[in-house]
Amino acid sequence: DLPLMEWLDQYTFPAERRCADTDFAAALYARLVCKLLSHGTTTAVYFASIHLEATKRLVDACRAAGQRAFVGKVSMDRHGSEEYEERTADALQDAEAMVDYCHAYEPDVSHPIDRLVNPVLTPRFIPTCSAALLSGLGALYRKHCERGCWVQSHIAESHDEMAFVEALHPARRDADIFDEAGLLTAHCVMAHGVHLNEAELKLFAQRGAAIACCPLSNVYFAGADLPLVKVQSAGVRVGLGTDVAGGYSPSLLSAIRTAVIVSKVHARTAGDEAQVTYSRALWTATMGGALALGLEDHLGSFAVGKQFDAVLVRCDAPSYDSVAEANTGRSALASDLERYIHLGDDRNVERVWVRGEVVATQATAGAS
């Protein structure tokens, strides 16, 4: 109901400030992780808050529930609402402490994919991060990337955010500033990116950086949508996201459906013939997500040798009609898959595996 920058001040920052209470944050994060697993989300990339101890509780919640996760303690040293910001030195110290906390739990893994929870350096976005903070986070990435360290932020996400960047950095844009700080890398996932221009998309492709396309929150805040087919065709890695707080559903099924709908509307208004099919949206939510994290050799499909992260879907669940006659003319698998994508929800998720271990069932989903 508000432009992005006003929405952050009125809703997001006050909500995040509550995580200064570590007990509150621990309970909140435990529920969140279980909720995402109940919807079949095997891997999540999390923005937490600026609070180190609370963010550690999110790491603990992911480990306890068995969810594969990439967890970031938000870094921001300016333009926070009601003093919701950090000193630059404290932000950098806590960011590295977060990296160490994730690594200490599983210190001897041969590859970061073997670590259940990995750290993500998380400058919130350009307006809330000074040049010194961005440069310092870039140095931390270079120091820890071999052990397993990712970067995430928001980029070119709305008209008012871009106007704020222009006011702070005349004649410069998000992508250039992140790249100068050494944060636009092959282990970088940037949310939204709907206002990236052709040169910036080329830069993303060159750096191997990825975009998390959050189609629902893009509709709410961005003033544009991400032309998914065009961006993927330009060689940019794109995964699909729910945005959690910026949308009304924690389910990637919702993101898949919205991606298709937004594409069809865009085709009608802009004459774009490259529409997103449900199968492309599903691929973007699975294999695309693995590509976005640079883990396509380990996750995202059932290819032999990859880790077994999987969801068992019940196609006879009571959330939709699965009468056999509806399958006429199509294979049962194709029909069941399309029906699940368009009509299913968490009631269809029978079982969830991460790293070959069952981490959620219908029974545990009901208990959460």
Side-chain angles (χ1 to χ4, degrees):
D1 61 343
L2 292 171
L4 174 65
M5 302 308 298
E6 294 179 43
W7 182 79
L8 289 171
D9 284 339
Q10 185 162 330
Y11 296 111
T12 302
F13 293 158
E16 290 184 17
R17 276 200 300 272
R18 296 184 68 189
C19 290
D21 180 341
T22 306
D23 291 338
F24 169 82
L28 174 70
Y29 289 144
R31 292 195 301 274
L32 171 63
V33 172
C34 288
K35 174 62 70 175
L36 293 185
L37 284 172
S38 75
H39 282 276
T41 302
T42 56
T43 299
V45 181
Y46 288 107
F47 278 76
S49 67
I50 67 172
H51 310 101
L52 176 60
E53 293 307 315
T55 307
K56 289 179 179 179
R57 300 295 81 75
L58 176 53
V59 172
D60 296 343
C62 294
R63 288 173 179 156
Q67 185 184 48
R68 189 188 304 278
F70 297 79
V71 175
K73 190 209 79 70
V74 173
S75 298
M76 48 189 285
D77 63 349
R78 63 178 181 176
H79 302 302
S81 174
E82 296 182 23
E83 300 183 356
Y84 183 64
E85 59 189 44
E86 310 160 277
R87 293 193 310 117
T88 305
D90 293 339
L92 291 171
Q93 178 178 306
D94 286 357
E96 185 160 33
M98 191 65 218
V99 172
D100 292 338
Y101 187 77
C102 290
H103 289 169
Y105 191 78
E106 296 173 281
D108 299 321
V109 297
S110 58
H111 189 284
I113 188 61
D114 297 320
R115 185 182 296 118
L116 186 63
V117 182
N118 276 289
V120 191
L121 299 173
T122 307
R124 175 170 230 112
F125 60 174
I126 296 299
T128 58
C129 296
S130 68
L133 177 56
L134 293 172
S135 176
L137 291 172
L140 287 179
Y141 171 76
R142 292 187 293 275
K143 178 179 178 180
H144 295 289
C145 62
E146 292 299 323
R147 289 202 296 159
C149 183
W150 276 254
V151 175
Q152 65 177 341
S153 189
H154 303 82
I155 194 168
E157 63 176 311
S158 70
H159 292 298
D160 55 340
E161 179 266 337
M162 294 184 69
F164 201 169
V165 172
E166 171 68 20
L168 294 169
H169 305 276
R172 301 192 68 187
R173 288 167 58 92
D174 296 20
D176 168 47
I177 297 168
F178 279 123
D179 192 47
E180 182 180 69
L183 293 169
L184 208 61
T185 77
H187 286 138
C188 167
V189 181
M190 291 287 180
H192 309 296
V194 297
H195 296 292
L196 293 170
N197 60 34
E198 297 287 342
E200 290 164 342
L201 290 174
K202 183 176 180 180
L203 178 63
F204 262 67
Q206 290 172 341
R207 297 288 187 263
I211 295 173
C213 174
C214 304
L216 185 59
S217 57
N218 288 346
V219 169
Y220 286 152
F221 300 115
D225 56 82
L226 187 76
L228 184 59
V229 177
K230 174 185 174 182
V231 172
Q232 289 175 324
S233 299
V236 179
R237 299 171 180 233
V238 183
L240 211 57
T242 64
D243 203 2
V244 182
Y248 52 70
S249 172
S251 172
L252 276 170
L253 288 178
S254 177
I256 289 170
R257 295 165 191 155
T258 307
V260 173
I261 292 168
V262 166
S263 172
K264 290 184 178 297
V265 172
H266 183 81
R268 292 177 184 174
T269 57
D272 188 351
E273 297 181 359
Q275 296 185 35
V276 177
T277 62
Y278 83 87
S279 55
R280 178 184 283 269
L282 174 63
W283 185 94
T284 304
T286 51
M287 194 63 204
L291 280 161
L293 291 166
L295 298 175
E296 64 273 18
D297 293 335
H298 307 276
L299 302 174
S301 74
F302 294 124
V304 175
K306 291 191 177 185
Q307 296 202 17
F308 189 70
D309 290 9
V311 179
L312 176 63
V313 175
R314 285 186 56 194
C315 295
D316 60 345
S319 58
Y320 57 72
D321 182 9
S322 57
V323 176
E325 288 86 340
N327 294 333
T328 302
R330 304 195 65 199
S331 73
L333 178 59
S335 182
D336 283 339
L337 177 60
E338 187 171 0
R339 187 179 295 107
Y340 169 61
I341 288 173
H342 290 298
L343 301 174
D345 58 31
D346 56 319
R347 291 171 292 178
N348 297 88
V349 176
E350 178 71 14
R351 194 167 300 157
V352 181
W353 290 264
V354 173
R355 303 202 296 187
E357 300 290 334
V358 174
V359 294
T361 65
Q362 272 290 328
T364 59
S368 66

